[in-house]
Amino acid sequence: MTKPSIEDLAARIDELEDRVDELEADTEQLEATVDAQAQTIASQRDQLSHYETRTQALEAELDAATDHRKHLQQRLYAVESEDTPNDEPNTQLSPLQQLIRLPSKALSNLTANQERARFIAKDIKEYATNVPAGFALDSSTIRTVLHAKEGRTPHTQTVSRVMDFLDDLGKAGVKIVKRRGTKRVIFSDHVVSELAETPTASSSITDVVMGWR
C-alpha cells in the first residue's frame, strides 16, 4: 500500500477543515433558527396569556352585567309576589340560609356569582379557617374553590363579587376585612353553625330576593 504523500495529507486536512467550517455554519444557522422559533413561541405565549386574561375580564364583566339584570328581575318578582303571595316568608332564616335552601327548580333564577356564593356557603366549614373572630375565608381560597368547581381560574372581579354576595346575604354575621393586602370574609361562629345545619330545600325564592341589595 502506497504511503500518502505530504501533499495528499495537506489536501485531506484542507478538505476536513472546509467540512468543519460548513458544519459550524450549519450549526450557527440552526441555532439562529431555533432562537427565532423560541422568540416566536414566547411571543405567541404572551399573546395567548393576554387573550386569556382579556377573556376572563370579559367573562367577569358579563357576569356582573348578568348579576345586575337578574337582580332587577328578582326585585320585580318580589314586588309582584307581594300582591299575590303564595307562601308565608320564613323570617327565621337569614338570606344566606334561604339561598342554600333554594330548590333545584329555582336555581336558574340565580346569577353565576350568586350560585358560586351558594356553592361556597353550603360547605362553609370545609373552606373557611377557624380564627378568633369566627371563621375566615380569603380571596385566594375562594379562587381555589371556584377553580376546582369550574375547571378554570376565576377573574379577580368574579372573586370580589362572590365575596360581596356572601357579605350582603350574611348581614351582621358576615363582614369583609382587608389585612396585609388580602381580602377576607369573616363569618361569625353563629352564622357558620346555622349554615352547617341548613338543609338544601325551600319553597320560595322571594324570601331570599327581599334580603338582597
Side-chain angles (χ1 to χ4, degrees), residues 61-130:
E61 291 176 7
L62 178 59
D63 279 348
T66 303
D67 283 347
H68 180 67
R69 179 178 61 81
K70 283 203 171 184
H71 172 71
L72 294 177
Q73 291 176 340
Q74 291 161 356
R75 298 299 295 176
L76 176 60
Y77 178 87
V79 171
E80 292 174 344
S81 297
E82 288 178 357
D83 296 329
T84 57
N86 296 319
D87 300 292
E88 287 296 324
N90 191 338
T91 57
Q92 295 180 348
L93 297 179
S94 70
L96 201 52
Q97 285 180 286
Q98 294 173 39
L99 178 65
I100 292 176
R101 294 192 64 206
L102 285 177
S104 57
K105 64 181 180 180
L107 297 183
S108 61
N109 292 292
L110 299 178
T111 69
N113 288 327
Q114 289 167 351
E115 196 280 327
R116 290 175 180 127
R118 179 180 185 272
F119 178 83
I120 291 173
K122 284 194 305 179
D123 297 303
I124 188 64
K125 275 194 172 181
E126 291 188 23
Y127 310 129
T129 302
N130 195 211

Side-chain angles (χ1 to χ4, degrees), residues 2-17:
T2 304
K3 185 176 181 180
S5 65
I6 294 176
E7 289 79 5
D8 291 338
L9 291 174
R12 181 58 180 163
I13 290 173
D14 288 341
E15 290 178 1
L16 291 174
E17 289 178 343

